[in-house]
Amino acid sequence: MPAIKKADTNIKYSGGATVVSGLKSHANDPFVVKKNEEAKIAVSKLALPSTEKK
């Protein structure tokens, strides 16, 4: 039996989700960048209702 115990770097939440610190980032993935730009264009075309009091 080993004397040293490996530290668990995963964070577990009460809802059953586990966050793993060793996941790869998709910030520079071409597909994600393209979808992000498309979403920015779509949101910029939306008009919010006026907040002025009448």
Side-chain angles (χ1 to χ4, degrees):
M1 184 172 207
I4 300 172
K5 192 174 186 181
K6 183 178 176 184
D8 188 15
T9 58
N10 299 342
I11 301 170
K12 297 182 182 181
Y13 293 97
S14 61
T18 302
V19 178
V20 180
S21 62
L23 288 177
K24 174 182 152 187
S25 173
H26 293 285
N28 294 325
D29 184 10
F31 178 78
V32 174
V33 171
K34 178 182 173 189
K35 290 297 180 181
N36 190 16
E37 291 299 321
E38 290 175 359
K40 286 181 183 178
I41 292 169
V43 169
S44 69
K45 292 180 181 178
L46 295 175
L48 296 175
S50 177
T51 57
E52 296 177 7
K53 293 183 179 180
K54 293 182 179 180

